[in-house]
Amino acid sequence: MIAASELILNPDGSVYHLNLKPENIAHDIIFVGDPDRVEKITQLFDSIEFSTQKREFKIQTGSYKGKRLTVISTGIGADNIDIVLNELDALVNIDLKTRSIKDHLTSLNIVRIGTSGSLQAEIPVDSFVMSKMGLGLDSMLRSYQTEAITHPALEDAFIKHTNWDLQKGRPYAVSCSEKLERQFESPSVFKGITATAGGFYGPQGRILRLAIQDEQLNHKMDNFVHSNYKITNLEMETAAIYGLSALLGHHAISLNAIIANRASGTFSSDPNLATANLIDFALQQLIK
């Protein structure tokens, strides 16, 4: 039995941070970062059966063209992903009454819909990027036993190419779900490696008042290539989603609308439209 201090439940029996019970979530789940983006998706639903919010975690479950879907805002960062994915997994794979792991485990489908800046000049603003691989620079996943799901060859190549300082922790590389990759594949979608940083400013090479450990890191990342894939974009969640999903037996894919191109210095003239187009694309792929 899992102790109460490890699996914390609210007085109504819901999981602690998400305020959810097993019946509140669908098998197919969309992750967004911003709570305000949840309703930009669910406003397209035919019906909404459940809504809740606690802190940055806003959740709505409903139906879109006959498909039951849940949309969850995770907030920012890999630490929040640790909370969201562990609690979602508990909802489907742990009996919350007996606090015991179920004999038969359930695999969820998780689709992240985000916005990001491209690091490559050939990936223009308003395009879509699918993360073939997540490259975690945040170290969160290293708290778990990762040997079975990570790609040491890519990690070693990145460490060598960037002269990565291991005092910041060893990067980890995890693939997307092959099943969802096939489902969301499209000629209009770019594929590449998404780097997941542990912060927004220094960890992504931004300098305000603080000097950073490696001012050239972004430039080194721009020209890193492994198995014909480049680092396409830099954000704060994808590698953590891929890592925990793989460890827990769930399927995950991360899609980003590119609203900025850091290589060319350009920014989308209508980032809201770019995001809306990605939402529409993802919903259509989900109901296929």
Side-chain angles (χ1 to χ4, degrees), residues 152-174:
L154 190 156
E155 297 163 7
D156 290 340
F158 178 81
I159 289 167
K160 181 178 179 180
H161 179 81
T162 61
N163 193 27
W164 181 262
D165 186 348
L166 288 175
Q167 290 188 90
K168 296 189 292 187
R170 179 181 171 87
Y172 61 91
V174 188

Side-chain angles (χ1 to χ4, degrees), residues 111 130 180-186 255 281-282 285-286:
V111 180
M130 174 194 292
L180 292 185
E181 180 184 5
R182 291 191 297 270
Q183 184 173 344
F184 284 84
E185 208 153 28
S186 167
L255 307 171
F281 170 78
Q285 300 305 106
L286 274 166

Side-chain angles (χ1 to χ4, degrees), residues 7 95 101 147 163 170 185 213 233:
L7 174 60
D95 185 318
I101 298 171
E147 293 79 7
N163 193 27
R170 179 181 171 87
E185 208 153 28
Q213 183 269 329
N233 59 317

Side-chain angles (χ1 to χ4, degrees), residues 58-176:
K58 182 171 183 174
I59 301 110
Q60 291 190 328
T61 295
S63 178
Y64 177 77
K65 296 186 178 180
K67 182 86 166 181
R68 190 169 185 249
L69 299 170
T70 295
V71 185
I72 297 179
S73 62
T74 64
I76 299 173
D79 50 347
N80 276 14
I81 298 302
D82 184 57
I83 291 170
V84 173
L85 262 165
N86 274 291
E87 292 194 3
L88 285 176
D89 181 75
L91 288 169
V92 295
N93 289 322
I94 297 174
D95 185 318
L96 301 185
K97 292 191 172 84
T98 64
R99 296 178 171 275
S100 58
I101 298 171
K102 294 179 179 179
D103 292 332
H104 301 288
L105 301 180
T106 297
S107 294
L108 299 169
N109 297 319
I110 296 164
V111 180
R112 169 169 162 75
I113 298 177
T115 57
S116 187
S118 168
L119 300 180
Q120 305 297 335
E122 66 269 22
I123 301 177
V125 295
D126 302 326
S127 62
F128 303 157
V129 165
M130 174 194 292
S131 306
K132 172 75 173 175
M133 190 88 64
L135 177 62
L137 312 180
D138 57 281
S139 295
M140 183 280 292
L141 201 71
R142 293 298 183 189
S143 295
Y144 299 95
Q145 296 179 10
T146 61
E147 293 79 7
I149 55 103
T150 52
H151 297 274
L154 190 156
E155 297 163 7
D156 290 340
F158 178 81
I159 289 167
K160 181 178 179 180
H161 179 81
T162 61
N163 193 27
W164 181 262
D165 186 348
L166 288 175
Q167 290 188 90
K168 296 189 292 187
R170 179 181 171 87
Y172 61 91
V174 188
S175 298
C176 68

Side-chain angles (χ1 to χ4, degrees), residues 200-268:
F200 183 77
Y201 288 96
Q204 293 191 35
R206 293 181 174 93
I207 300 172
L208 302 183
R209 289 204 313 118
L210 296 176
I212 60 176
Q213 183 269 329
D214 185 355
E215 292 187 11
Q216 299 302 312
L217 179 59
N218 279 17
H219 174 68
K220 296 172 188 174
M221 290 169 61
D222 291 347
N223 53 46
F224 175 73
V225 181
H226 187 82
S227 298
N228 296 320
Y229 287 105
K230 297 180 181 180
I231 297 178
T232 51
N233 59 317
L234 180 61
E235 45 82 270
M236 296 177 64
E237 290 85 26
T238 292
I241 293 169
Y242 283 8
L244 286 173
S245 295
L247 288 172
L248 291 165
H250 304 298
H251 296 280
I253 199 77
S254 180
L255 307 171
N256 273 276
I258 298 301
I259 61 171
N261 187 295
R262 294 182 73 173
S264 63
T266 54
F267 192 83
S268 173

